[in-house]
Amino acid sequence: MLRYLARRLGQALLVVSGVVVLTFAVMRLVPGDPAVAYAGPKATPEQLAETRALFGLDDPLYVQLVNYARDLVTGDWGTSLRTRQPVRDDLYVAFPASLELVGTALLIAIVAGIPIGVLAARYKRRLPDLGVRLGSVLAVSVPVFWLALVLQTVFATNLGWFPIAGEYDSSLDTTSPLTLWTNITVVDALITGNWPIFTSTLQHLVLPALVVAAYPAGVIAQMTRAALIEESGQDHARMERALGFGETSILTKFALRPALNPVLSLIALVFAYAIVNGFLVEAIFNWPGLGRYAVESIRSLDTPAIAGVTLLVALVYVLANLVVDILQGFVDPRTRIR
């Protein structure tokens, strides 16, 4: 197991190194002069020269790359040209809100997708299976902006069941101010016992979380169904049938655990996809997360901020895959020899 973990960790570090190089290259290929963006269009040549010297833009590219990698390791992710704040501090504020939304959505997708996949496998080629397959295809295919607008129109505007946008009721900042610990609002409200903000955040989470969860839930349901059908055709399943076990027991007691192996890999992929896919959802629901920060950075050609968002999403993706690889090693020891 230790060799397996060391091998996976080495692969993760290799991927991160590649992402760092790619991010640096993208920063240098983006049109525009970062010195002009930081100093302003009316800056004098002397001010521009000072700004280039400040950010090391006059150094050779290989020196800039080494300095960039060194700064990343030491926690210096650069300074935003738009907010004039360290990018790391901006991301520390924006990312928890995205993590709150995507984490809730992924929890919904897992809780709904795996049982639905089991149901479809149990009634293969029958009406429940047909309904699950049709529903999962619709969940995967429907555009997120259309689904978001439909849910807002039906459940927020017409029925008034949920708020239409925002993270929580802003008036609560005056009546029930929140003490921040993790910058994840629902967690901080739960830790500090701030029930008005906790309740309000949960209400605001429902619609955007359902939108983000639609695609992962459909994919997880399809993968669970396919993996269970394949596993139920193995020799051990035939032996279990010969011993008198029913199909439901075979699927849930014997086939589900090995079938979860590809599902775990899929969860890591859809988690990273949900973060990026959530950018549009955040814009529609006015959710104060990484998506809004990225959009504002792109509009202002804030290359350090864009690079910071790109690198953070890549790191989250690599970390999610590493966690899944570790879980797979425990769930199915056969994966350790790959």
Side-chain angles (χ1 to χ4, degrees), residues 55 66 210 262 302:
F55 290 103
V66 172
L210 287 176
D302 189 351

Side-chain angles (χ1 to χ4, degrees), residues 1-39:
M1 186 64 186
L2 290 177
R3 289 195 299 269
Y4 171 78
L5 293 177
R7 187 168 63 249
R8 287 293 185 263
L9 183 59
Q11 293 172 352
L13 291 176
L14 185 63
V15 172
V16 170
S17 300
V19 170
V20 169
V21 175
L22 182 61
T23 303
F24 174 80
V26 170
M27 289 176 61
R28 294 302 178 266
L29 292 175
V30 170
D33 189 345
V36 175
Y38 186 83

Side-chain angles (χ1 to χ4, degrees), residues 39-323:
K42 296 182 180 180
T44 63
E46 292 77 12
Q47 291 174 326
L48 291 177
E50 291 177 1
T51 303
R52 290 191 178 94
L54 175 64
F55 290 103
L57 299 176
D58 293 331
D59 296 333
L61 283 179
Y62 71 91
V63 174
Q64 294 183 42
L65 175 58
V66 172
N67 292 336
Y68 176 66
R70 182 199 60 204
D71 291 341
L72 290 177
V73 172
T74 58
D76 182 4
W77 286 36
T79 302
S80 170
L81 305 178
R82 179 177 57 86
T83 66
R84 306 300 176 93
Q85 299 293 324
V87 173
R88 185 184 63 178
D89 293 348
D90 288 344
L91 295 178
Y92 181 74
V93 174
F95 181 63
S98 294
L99 190 62
E100 178 182 48
L101 175 59
V102 174
T104 303
L106 195 61
L107 180 62
I108 294 173
I110 293 173
V111 171
I114 292 179
I116 289 175
V118 173
L119 177 67
R122 173 63 181 86
Y123 297 99
K124 182 178 62 175
R125 298 192 184 93
R126 294 161 67 178
L127 187 59
D129 181 29
L130 180 61
V132 169
R133 293 167 66 183
L134 179 60
S136 61
V137 169
L138 289 176
V140 170
S141 305
V142 65
V144 291
F145 67 87
W146 182 85
L147 181 59
L149 294 176
V150 168
L151 293 185
Q152 282 183 328
T153 302
V154 175
F155 295 103
T157 303
N158 294 340
L159 297 177
W161 290 358
F162 301 102
I164 194 169
E167 188 178 14
Y168 61 88
D169 188 351
S170 58
S171 64
L172 294 176
D173 288 332
T174 303
T175 59
S176 303
L178 178 64
T179 302
L180 297 178
W181 291 83
T182 65
N183 275 348
I184 301 177
T185 303
V186 69
V187 174
D188 291 340
L190 182 61
I191 292 174
T192 59
N194 193 326
W195 304 119
I197 287 186
F198 179 76
T199 303
S200 179
T201 304
L202 289 182
Q203 292 173 342
H204 283 75
L205 260 176
V206 172
L207 295 184
L210 287 176
V211 175
V212 177
Y215 178 87
V219 175
I220 290 173
Q222 287 279 31
M223 178 60 75
T224 303
R225 173 190 178 275
L228 280 175
I229 291 176
E230 180 181 359
E231 198 65 32
S232 63
Q234 301 296 323
D235 291 339
H236 70 85
R238 287 191 286 269
M239 181 187 68
E240 289 146 8
R241 291 189 186 93
L243 292 175
F245 288 98
E247 286 298 318
T248 302
S249 296
I250 293 173
L251 290 176
T252 57
K253 293 182 179 180
F254 303 105
L256 183 58
R257 181 175 176 179
L260 285 179
N261 195 21
V263 176
L264 287 174
S265 298
L266 180 67
I267 289 174
L269 293 174
V270 297
F271 177 69
Y273 175 83
I275 291 179
V276 179
N277 197 37
F279 285 8
L280 181 57
V281 178
E282 289 180 9
I284 295 174
F285 285 93
N286 195 27
W287 192 265
L290 199 62
R292 189 166 70 182
Y293 179 75
V295 170
E296 293 172 351
S297 300
I298 292 172
R299 287 175 178 172
S300 59
L301 290 179
D302 189 351
T303 51
I306 297 171
V309 172
T310 304
L311 184 60
L312 179 60
V313 172
L315 289 175
V316 169
Y317 174 77
V318 171
L319 181 60
N321 275 276
L322 184 60
V323 171

